[in-house]
Structure formats: structure tokens, C-alpha cells
Amino acid sequence: MAFTTTVLTLTTGTAETVTDLTSACTEFLNRAAQGGDGLLNLFVPHATAGLAILETGAGSDKDLLSALHHLLPADDRWQHRHGSPGHGRDHVLPALVPPHATVPVIRGGLELGTWQSICLVDTNKDNANRQVRLSFLG
């Protein structure tokens, strides 16, 4: 059994984003898994961001942000009111887009479907600095 971990540091900017982490995960596994089998666990230590496995590049990432905007409007209905207007919705996001994901690793590679990518979902325009912990257990 091997356990290896690292932290990705990202700047997401001042707009709502879906950031593809798949290539960073692959690079980490090239070092950590060394061709073996196991699990990749990802964790976001932030109260206003989450992780999703979805198709990117064909509009699904924009569709996800649109759906979140519909479900969690950036208006004054939220009890949590510090930050920019509507920021309270960002604190509800992790209940819908969890701050963790686990993906099987087979022969050192991510066992994702053809169109699947691992993505950081960040609707918080007030905090552009994000971390994602990657941990391989194999």
C-alpha cells in the first residue's frame, strides 16, 4: 500500500468558473501511482467550491454554471450576507457540488469515461485563490 498526496494551487479569477483538473491529476498519478492500481481522492478545503466529473468543451461546463445560477441565484435572499451581493449562495454550492471526489486508478491511469473530466467548480468571485488536495492510495 502506498499513500502520496500533493496540493494544487489555482487562481480562478473573478468570474464563475469550471476548471478542468484532469491533466494535473494525470501528471500527479504519473509520479504517485507508478503504473499501479488504487484510488485518487480529491478534496477542496473551501466552503464555496466543489468538484464535479463532467464533460467539458461541448458546453456542459457552461450549462452547469447556468443551472447553478438558476438553482442558486446571486441575489439578496440568502442569510449569509458578507462579500459581494448574493455571496450566500456560494456557501450552499458544496451541498450540491461536493468538495470531494474519488476516481479509480487502473495501471496508473484515471478510469474515467470517454467524455469525463475532473473539474473544480467555483462560483465565488470574491476568492480567486483555490487549493485542491490530490491523494493517491494504492
Side-chain angles (χ1 to χ4, degrees):
M1 285 288 238
F3 179 80
T4 307
T5 189
T6 192
V7 175
L8 299 176
T9 300
L10 307 156
T11 302
T12 56
T14 58
E16 298 175 353
T17 61
V18 174
T19 304
D20 191 337
L21 304 175
T22 310
S23 62
C25 292
T26 298
E27 289 174 25
F28 169 68
L29 289 174
N30 287 339
R31 296 185 310 272
Q34 299 178 7
D37 296 347
L39 296 171
L40 173 66
N41 181 263
L42 298 92
F43 179 73
V44 178
H46 301 286
T48 58
L51 294 160
I53 297 176
L54 74 157
E55 179 180 6
T56 60
S60 296
D61 40 350
K62 291 178 184 172
D63 289 340
L64 173 60
L65 290 175
S66 178
L68 289 171
H69 228 280
H70 179 73
L71 292 170
L72 304 171
D75 58 22
D76 64 356
R77 74 183 69 200
W78 308 101
Q79 299 291 317
H80 187 105
R81 293 182 187 258
H82 77 80
S84 30
H87 174 65
R89 75 170 190 132
D90 299 325
H91 287 274
V92 177
L93 174 79
L96 301 175
V97 182
H100 56 86
T102 302
V103 179
V105 176
I106 306 297
R107 291 182 296 282
L110 293 166
E111 192 68 9
L112 292 170
T114 302
W115 304 111
Q116 289 181 317
S117 296
I118 303 168
C119 299
L120 173 69
V121 180
D122 186 2
T123 59
N124 183 356
K125 298 182 269 187
D126 294 339
N127 184 1
N129 300 313
R130 297 299 186 176
Q131 293 183 334
V132 180
R133 177 168 294 281
L134 307 179
S135 300
F136 174 72
L137 178 63

